[in-house]
Amino acid sequence: DQQVKQNSPSLSVQEGRISILNCDYTNSMFDYFLWYKKYPAEGPTFLISISSIKDKNEDGRFTVFLNKSAKHLSLHIVPSQPGDSAVYFCAASGFSNAGNMLTFGGGTRLMVKP
Amino acid sequence: SQTIHQWPATLVQPVGSPLSLECTVEGTSNPNLYWYRQAAGRGLQLLFYSVGIGQISSEVPQNLSASRPQDRQFILSSKKLLLSDSGFYLCACLPTSAAYEQYFGPGTRLTVT
């Protein structure tokens, strides 16, 4: 049972336009959410995060929105650049006796066309 | 800040052969450590995690095992590889149990032939 889902496996966007990546989760105990960016043959790098007590967090061109009632978060990239082309993973954090554990979605491949 | 090293970067192994992947961490002490696998076109699957030396928890039953012989060393092993073990293996570090962001190493591409 997938607790974190990214229903769009891929997204293609024109350079300069907005990219919107979506993520849904089922576990209401998740209290922190993160987005990672991954290039081929490299490890994921942390991009931006949001606590469950907030509904928006912004960092430069990247904004994450959280809708707790809908159990939905989204990542907005404005404006999109060709270097943003990568796979984006959303992750949700829940506390366990081993500390905060991450559950990842399946990823969305973003392609930004020049 | 922490740095995570993984080796080898790429590995091609025949079915039935053993496996040893190594991960070492610099810049932090007593981190939580994780092994993930990304199969082709798939998400990140947590395989093992460790909260301390000699402490290993398995998330997915399989023919892989993990060990943590030192505080900043995490090893993924197998006695006999299967074709289905092919994938991209990632080691990750959580600097403190109160933190949220995990930091990833560069990964090892394993192809079982």
Side-chain angles (χ1 to χ4, degrees), chain A residues 32 36 38 42-43 93 98 100-101, chain B residues 32 38 49 98-100 102 105:
Chain A
Y32 200 84
Y36 283 83
K38 184 183 181 301
E42 294 184 11
S93 178
N100 294 312
M101 299 288 286
Chain B
N32 286 4
Q38 184 186 17
Y49 66 90
Y100 291 99
Q102 291 181 16

Side-chain angles (χ1 to χ4, degrees), chain A residues 31-32 34 36 38 40-46 49 87 89 93 95-102 104-107, chain B residues 32 34 36 38 41-44 46 49 51 59 88 90 94 96-107 109:
Chain A
D31 60 354
Y32 200 84
L34 307 90
Y36 283 83
K38 184 183 181 301
E42 294 184 11
T45 55
F46 169 71
S49 61
V87 176
F89 291 99
S93 178
F95 187 78
S96 74
N97 56 8
N100 294 312
M101 299 288 286
L102 294 184
F104 284 87
Chain B
N32 286 4
Y34 308 83
Y36 291 88
Q38 184 186 17
R42 305 283 297 275
L44 299 178
L46 178 63
Y49 66 90
V51 299
E59 288 293 299
F88 192 59
L90 290 156
L94 188 70
T96 70
S97 59
Y100 291 99
E101 295 88 357
Q102 291 181 16
Y103 296 89
F104 286 82
R109 169 72 59 193

Side-chain angles (χ1 to χ4, degrees), chain A residues 14-55:
Chain A
Q14 203 66 33
E15 181 179 6
R17 307 293 292 269
I18 184 172
S19 296
I20 300 177
L21 295 91
N22 295 303
C23 180
D24 297 292
Y25 63 96
T26 59
N27 189 341
S28 58
M29 298 302 292
F30 289 141
D31 60 354
Y32 200 84
F33 303 89
L34 307 90
W35 285 93
Y36 283 83
K37 177 180 179 180
K38 184 183 181 301
Y39 292 117
E42 294 184 11
T45 55
F46 169 71
L47 191 58
I48 191 171
S49 61
I50 187 167
S51 166
S52 61
I53 63 173
K54 295 185 177 181
D55 55 15

Side-chain angles (χ1 to χ4, degrees), chain B residues 1-100:
Chain B
S1 64
Q2 56 283 312
T3 302
I4 303 171
H5 302 280
Q6 286 187 246
W7 63 87
T10 306
L11 191 60
V12 180
Q13 292 284 93
V15 168
S17 64
L19 173 73
S20 181
L21 303 182
E22 188 164 348
C23 169
T24 58
V25 179
E26 294 178 356
T28 186
S29 296
N30 196 30
N32 286 4
L33 297 175
Y34 308 83
W35 278 112
Y36 291 88
R37 176 172 60 201
Q38 184 186 17
R42 305 283 297 275
L44 299 178
Q45 180 187 32
L46 178 63
L47 302 176
F48 300 94
Y49 66 90
S50 171
V51 299
I53 297 174
Q55 301 179 62
I56 308 295
S57 296
S58 173
E59 288 293 299
V60 181
Q62 58 211 320
N63 69 321
L64 299 173
S65 62
S67 62
R68 186 170 176 176
Q70 301 180 44
D71 180 45
R72 289 172 286 181
Q73 184 185 29
F74 205 23
I75 297 172
L76 183 69
S77 304
S78 174
K79 293 182 179 178
K80 289 186 178 182
L81 284 169
L82 306 173
L83 284 173
S84 58
D85 292 324
S86 293
F88 192 59
Y89 287 82
L90 290 156
C91 178
C93 160
L94 188 70
T96 70
S97 59
Y100 291 99

